[in-house]
Amino acid sequence: MHSFIIQLKNRLKTKKLKGLALDIDDTLAQSGDAWIEGIQKAFGNPENLTVEEVKTKYRYSYNAPYWNSPAIRQWEESIRYNEDWHRVLPLIKNANHIVEKIHRLVPIVAYLTARPKQLLTATRDWLDKHGFPPAEIIYRPAAVRLPNNLAWKAKILEYLYPQVIGMVDDHPQLAKDLSKTYPGTLYLYDYHDQAPRGDINIIPCKNWQEVLESLVPL
Ligand SMILES: [Mg+2]
């Protein structure tokens, strides 16, 4: 476990603080939309789909078979570390206002993101700009390669329990990567089907209002 994560757990323990972790991309920020628009602009739109249609059909751009060329991977790499890009990402409508309500019931104690350390300042500024509660940002250490980021998040969540009692995240892979003994709760954001598994606490939520309504109090 990286030392900054161990220190975070100790700090929360000392302060007797328990609460939730939040994902950022596609949970608070409309990153996927900007990403899809960017790809469409630079590489074309073979099926002539709107951003919404791409999301309905593929959920994430990388699931579209024609958006998998090395040139697109290269474009993505240039965006992934681009501060300016991340500073202007649109907010998911009302996410900030509902998170504020959630924070009063169950405190937000961390943001857990696959973004790299280089984006910490831009990310902090973006969260502040939209009025999200101040909390530590757990970024992805360089040693964790991107395809493994959800397995990495799962490990962090298991380690931080019970200081972090659950998380709101949009990625169904996180539900799959948690172990069958994970006692916390995953609120699967923007998820319109049944929970992908039933042995641990996964709560599918179509939108932020549903996260608020299905919140398990401390
Ligand atoms: Mg996400």
Side-chain angles (χ1 to χ4, degrees), residues 23-27 153 169-171:
D23 173 41
I24 297 173
D25 291 308
D26 297 320
T27 298
K153 277 189 183 181
D169 196 294
D170 63 290
H171 211 299

Side-chain angles (χ1 to χ4, degrees), residues 23-117:
D23 173 41
I24 297 173
D25 291 308
D26 297 320
T27 298
L28 304 177
Q30 259 178 355
S31 320
D33 291 26
W35 199 261
I36 290 164
E37 279 167 24
I39 292 181
Q40 287 181 335
K41 235 180 247 166
F43 299 98
N45 183 2
E47 288 181 285
N48 248 320
L49 300 177
T50 64
V51 170
E52 280 311 309
E53 286 167 342
V54 171
K55 285 197 294 184
T56 305
K57 188 161 183 186
Y58 298 112
R59 191 162 179 97
Y60 304 107
S61 61
Y62 54 76
N63 292 327
Y66 42 80
W67 283 338
N68 267 304
S69 67
I72 292 181
R73 289 291 98 88
Q74 208 174 3
W75 176 87
E76 288 175 337
E77 278 311 291
S78 73
I79 295 301
R80 219 184 296 287
Y81 299 91
N82 187 320
E83 282 200 274
D84 296 335
W85 173 276
H86 288 84
R87 280 181 184 281
V88 298
L89 280 179
L91 172 73
I92 289 178
K93 201 170 166 238
N94 273 333
N96 51 352
H97 299 131
I98 298 182
V99 166
E100 200 184 317
K101 287 183 193 166
I102 291 173
H103 185 58
R104 278 185 240 133
L105 304 167
V106 180
I108 309 305
V109 294
Y111 298 91
L112 177 50
T113 176
R115 291 183 182 185
K117 191 176 188 177

Side-chain angles (χ1 to χ4, degrees), residues 8 28 31 68 84 100 114 116 123 132 166-167 169 175 186 207 210:
L8 168 65
L28 304 177
S31 320
N68 267 304
D84 296 335
E100 200 184 317
T123 302
F132 285 104
M167 173 161 197
D169 196 294
L186 173 64
N207 49 47
E210 281 197 15

